[in-house]
Amino acid sequence: MPLRPEMKPRNPWPAAYARFVLALVALLLIGWGTGQWLLVLLLAATGVLVWDFVNLRRLEHWLRLTRKLDPPQSAGLWGEIFDGLHRMRRRARDRDKQRRSLVRNYRDSIRAMPDATVVLRSDFRIDWCNQAARQMLGLQWPRDEGQRISNIFRHPEFVAFLARYSREARSLSLPSPVDGRLWLEVRLIPYAKKRHLLLARDTTALRRLETMRSDFVANVSHELRTPLTVVYGVTETLEDEISDYPELTRSVQLLREQAERMKHLVDDLLLLSRLETGDGPRAGDWVDVPAMLDGVVEEARLLSGDRHHQIDLDATPGLSLLGNERELRSAFANLVFNAVHYTPEGGRIHVRWFADSAGGYFEVADTGIGIAAQHIDRLTERFYRVDNGRSKSRGGTGLGLAIVKHVLMRHGAQLKIDSKPGEGSRFTCRFPTRSLRQPLKPPAAAGDEVVNR
Ligand code: ADP
């Protein structure tokens, strides 16, 4: 009779010893009674051997041939052994059942997930995918099992994403291969040993909202531009006309200043929305950065005026950058002009452009007012200013660093900000090596030569 799981198996040995002693006594008595010691012993030993042999045979047969849970019935120690094996088999079967139901539950929950989920091997071959992956990514199951995901989902950005995945990429946004109107946010997550989980989320609604927001800002800015230009133009003319009325001059001057500020704001908003929506020319030309920086630094010196900053430029001659010249100029100028704005009179501003094995660097270091650590992470948010009054009084729009961030993003670059209040700041833009063209120089003259202007 099989034992129930909660019952602790009893120790069979006391009973086994008792049976052994009883059998021994019985043998002694029979041997003494019959006088046939040898025969009695032989018969007893043969009996034990046959009993063990029969039980061993039944056990082997049960283990090898039957999948039945119930073991053969037996008595004594063999009965206990069969019961023990039965318990083990039943436990193993229960565990197996539990495991299978756990796996089934997990699979069912992943299958029901609205996000596309694809299990990938180390070489990005497909192991498994859920229903949403078939709908969003156009995978076919089981036909695509074992295929490389990039053979099926061939979007160039996705293929490049996989190629640079191990180094930097974590997620990207792109249209669904099944329906171009669907936008997906694709993420790749490493797990277990060299496996990856590819998740794709439908972000169409979010993107539509985002587009609506930036369209709205772009439209309002566009509509404001013309009237502002008129107001600005009129104030300029008025200023000339009313030079004989000193009481009005100040008011018109104020009007012109405010109109100019609003014009800057509108221009920055328009530029930012163009950068956000990805309109306009993409990075595509070799930009002569040293020549561009000459111009930017020249303007910075004019901006500094009688505040007499010492502005130095160290740029590796001939080190060009693949990108959009207008966007890059706007970003670099923003950083250099910020250094002028936020560095007190006579301070030093050092502008550098150079490359090493990890990439190209545009760096602006100043000895200005610096920025407290808690602000640094938020500086590139639109309209984020450390000191509202100071920024506005010098005509700042609060959009400069947001523009810098977007331009850098479009050029695959990163911004790093190091700063200490009272000591100064260093803004470093790092561009990928693939976007650089090193100067072609004979080895002796090459190297990290930098021209100081
Ligand atoms: P703003 O038009 O206000 O300068 P930005 O987006 O260019 O807007 O800069 C955001 C904020 O970052 C500024 O308001 C200023 O507080 C801080 N900031 C930017 N550059 C510097 C710098 N070189 N030194 C100190 N603070 C800076």
Side-chain angles (χ1 to χ4, degrees), residues 338-339 342 366 369-371 379 384-387 391 394 396-402 425 427:
N338 269 352
Y342 298 105
D366 63 50
I369 58 171
I371 306 155
L379 285 185
Y384 190 87
R385 296 154 164 130
V386 176
D387 179 344
S391 163
R394 62 130 197 110
T397 60
L399 294 172
L401 291 182
S425 318
F427 289 75

Side-chain angles (χ1 to χ4, degrees), residues 363-385:
E363 190 180 280
V364 182
D366 63 50
T367 56
I369 58 171
I371 306 155
Q374 73 267 24
H375 298 294
I376 290 185
D377 284 344
R378 301 196 56 193
L379 285 185
T380 55
E381 289 174 19
R382 285 177 211 114
F383 299 111
Y384 190 87
R385 296 154 164 130

Side-chain angles (χ1 to χ4, degrees), residues 64-199:
R64 182 164 53 92
L65 296 178
T66 72
R67 293 183 53 78
K68 272 198 319 201
L69 206 55
D70 292 341
Q73 295 293 318
S74 191
L77 272 176
W78 279 107
E80 299 295 337
I81 289 171
F82 286 153
D83 281 349
L85 285 169
H86 168 72
R87 279 195 299 277
M88 274 168 65
R89 220 179 215 202
R90 198 176 49 193
R91 269 203 300 268
R93 197 172 275 199
D94 287 350
R95 263 202 305 269
D96 208 42
K97 242 193 208 159
Q98 268 177 2
R99 239 176 260 143
R100 259 184 293 172
S101 111
L102 203 69
V103 170
R104 216 179 8 252
N105 282 345
Y106 272 123
R107 286 222 160 175
D108 286 350
S109 58
I110 296 174
R111 206 169 270 148
M113 257 170 47
D115 294 349
T117 309
V118 187
V119 176
L120 298 172
R121 297 176 208 157
S122 58
D123 55 358
F124 298 124
R125 284 180 194 280
I126 301 169
D127 237 3
W128 183 81
C129 69
N130 68 352
Q131 184 62 31
R134 290 166 224 175
Q135 285 159 1
M136 290 188 202
L137 304 176
L139 300 184
Q140 299 215 358
W141 195 255
R143 197 198 69 183
D144 292 337
E145 187 179 2
Q147 292 269 0
R148 274 182 74 88
I149 182 89
S150 49
N151 288 349
I152 299 159
F153 191 15
R154 290 160 183 263
H155 196 287
E157 277 187 45
F158 180 70
V159 175
F161 168 77
L162 281 189
R164 44 168 224 275
Y165 164 68
S166 53
R167 277 176 284 131
E168 50 200 82
R170 281 287 181 270
S171 76
L172 90 161
S173 225
L174 73 188
S176 155
V178 179
D179 180 351
R181 288 167 305 174
L182 274 187
W183 271 84
L184 306 177
E185 189 201 29
V186 178
R187 294 202 301 150
L188 208 51
I189 301 151
Y191 79 100
K193 259 194 181 162
K194 295 185 173 176
R195 288 199 163 236
H196 307 278
L197 205 58
L198 183 123
L199 298 175

Side-chain angles (χ1 to χ4, degrees), residues 168-239:
E168 50 200 82
R170 281 287 181 270
S171 76
L172 90 161
S173 225
L174 73 188
S176 155
V178 179
D179 180 351
R181 288 167 305 174
L182 274 187
W183 271 84
L184 306 177
E185 189 201 29
V186 178
R187 294 202 301 150
L188 208 51
I189 301 151
Y191 79 100
K193 259 194 181 162
K194 295 185 173 176
R195 288 199 163 236
H196 307 278
L197 205 58
L198 183 123
L199 298 175
R201 196 163 61 100
D202 182 355
T203 51
T204 317
L206 215 79
R207 204 179 155 83
R208 203 172 294 140
L209 271 178
E210 191 55 31
T211 316
M212 267 166 64
R213 182 190 61 80
S214 81
D215 280 356
F216 175 75
V217 173
N219 289 338
V220 170
S221 312
H222 198 75
E223 293 300 324
L224 281 174
R225 205 181 196 183
T226 320
L228 270 174
T229 314
V230 174
V231 171
Y232 184 71
V234 171
T235 52
E236 267 189 331
T237 325
L238 263 180
E239 252 185 330

Side-chain angles (χ1 to χ4, degrees), residues 236-311:
E236 267 189 331
T237 325
L238 263 180
E239 252 185 330
D240 296 339
E241 300 287 326
I242 59 169
S243 48
D244 297 339
Y245 304 92
E247 68 277 15
L248 282 181
T249 316
R250 182 65 200 131
S251 306
V252 174
Q253 220 173 37
L254 261 176
L255 202 64
R256 188 177 55 77
E257 275 169 21
Q258 293 305 312
E260 192 172 7
R261 247 197 82 204
M262 282 172 77
K263 216 163 119 321
H264 279 155
L265 187 64
V266 165
D267 286 345
D268 277 1
L269 277 173
L270 274 173
L271 174 61
L272 199 56
S273 83
R274 261 202 305 274
L275 291 170
E276 271 178 343
T277 50
D279 287 351
R282 276 241 155 202
D285 296 324
W286 286 108
V287 180
D288 181 356
V289 177
M292 176 205 280
L293 292 180
D294 275 340
V296 170
V297 166
E298 204 50 50
E299 277 181 47
R301 287 192 181 119
L302 284 175
L303 187 70
S304 166
D306 53 9
R307 293 199 292 147
H308 304 295
H309 294 108
Q310 184 194 329
I311 307 179

